[in-house]
Amino acid sequence: MWKNHKPLLFMVGISLVLGGCQIAKEKKTSKMQELDLPDVRALQDEFTRGFIESTEEVEKGYYSFLSGTKRYRMLFPKEGVIHQGYGIRDDQFEGFLMSTLNDNGTDSQIKINYYTNESTENAPVVLEILEGRVDQKLEFEKITSESSEVYYAPIEFEPDVFGIAALVVSLNGEGSVQIVYDTQCKNDKNECQQIKEEEIEKMIHWARSFEFVDQEVQ
């Protein structure tokens, strides 16, 4: 992936989960100067910019995003923004909704929950929770790397709204991330079918970009 840098249901219950969470004002403040930034949503939005580690793309169309918990990194789309409702509790929990505009004219929303105390042992229970969140019975595929397991399954809310539900679990005890990623296509049926295939492939690639951070070696 990339090397570590050194230089709408989901949001309803977040306030119940967070309790005394620390909110955005306690996350790192970006030192980037707005006038010098590329004209993309991820860097022009002040709140979102606070998570972006560098103005240099780490992959075409993506920047490196460091979680407010400092527990994981992921690819962040250049036309993505984080919406109101972001919540964090120390390094134990993080939850937020992001949206992005895609080059093919579609738009996507991605709901993310990070929990530091989840592991591979309770993955089956978490996958059932994901099924409940999307209200669908899902058939998950699993991809294993050296440091994580990625479970994903296609979802469809309407003929023109499709995506994946996914779970990324650290194999080294740094927690897991629950994901619901969906895209809306407003083009004609045949074009949307082709777009759907391309988008699902892109979503899986993005889910595989998560890198958990070992707190002990920082």
Side-chain angles (χ1 to χ4, degrees):
M1 206 62 61
W2 67 89
K3 294 182 180 179
N4 291 351
H5 292 267
K6 286 189 180 179
L8 257 144
L9 298 174
F10 155 84
M11 303 306 297
V12 175
I14 234 177
S15 60
L16 299 176
V17 177
L18 296 180
C21 291
Q22 300 169 335
I23 310 299
K25 62 182 179 181
E26 296 189 17
K27 74 178 182 65
K28 69 185 179 73
T29 302
S30 172
K31 296 181 180 179
M32 302 175 191
Q33 295 299 312
E34 193 163 349
L35 293 178
D36 299 327
L37 298 173
D39 187 20
V40 295
R41 296 172 80 215
L43 296 178
Q44 292 297 323
D45 181 79
E46 183 178 2
F47 183 81
T48 303
R49 188 168 68 241
F51 297 91
I52 305 301
E53 297 193 275
S54 169
T55 58
E56 297 296 320
E57 295 183 4
V58 293
E59 187 172 306
K60 183 174 174 55
Y62 293 94
Y63 298 107
S64 175
F65 171 104
L66 178 62
S67 160
T69 66
K70 307 295 189 294
R71 289 283 190 168
Y72 64 89
R73 287 183 170 88
M74 68 178 186
L75 294 177
F76 195 91
K78 66 180 183 179
E79 293 300 330
V81 293
I82 297 174
H83 292 274
Q84 293 181 356
Y86 171 87
I88 185 170
R89 185 173 63 241
D90 301 320
D91 63 352
Q92 303 299 302
F93 170 84
E94 182 178 45
F96 59 93
L97 172 68
M98 56 184 280
S99 68
T100 184
L101 305 177
N102 303 313
D103 292 340
N104 56 23
T106 63
D107 55 86
S108 302
Q109 65 173 8
I110 308 169
K111 310 172 191 75
I112 293 178
N113 276 357
Y114 167 80
Y115 298 93
T116 192
N117 60 352
E118 289 183 353
S119 63
T120 54
E121 285 73 17
N122 60 1
V125 174
V126 179
L127 294 178
E128 289 183 4
I129 292 173
L130 274 173
E131 289 182 326
R133 284 178 56 187
V134 300
D135 195 25
Q136 298 177 38
K137 184 64 177 176
L138 303 175
E139 295 293 332
F140 287 94
E141 300 283 342
K142 182 172 77 169
I143 302 171
T144 303
S145 69
E146 291 183 2
S147 60
S148 66
E149 290 180 345
V150 180
Y151 300 82
Y152 69 91
I155 55 176
E156 187 170 299
F157 295 109
E158 300 174 21
D160 63 342
V161 181
F162 50 83
I164 64 169
L167 173 67
V168 186
V169 188
S170 168
L171 294 177
N172 301 314
E174 284 96 29
S176 71
V177 180
Q178 298 176 26
I179 301 161
V180 178
Y181 186 157
D182 62 73
T183 294
Q184 182 172 26
C185 180
K186 299 178 181 179
N187 301 9
D188 65 68
K189 183 176 180 181
N190 290 334
E191 187 174 3
C192 280
Q193 182 57 39
Q194 180 177 351
I195 288 174
K196 177 179 179 179
E197 294 173 3
E198 295 170 352
E199 283 293 300
I200 294 294
E201 183 177 341
K202 183 179 76 174
M203 292 172 185
I204 296 169
H205 173 75
W206 172 83
R208 298 183 68 179
S209 79
F210 280 79
E211 292 183 352
F212 292 95
V213 178
D214 186 345
Q215 299 291 296
E216 295 183 358
V217 297
Q218 286 193 76

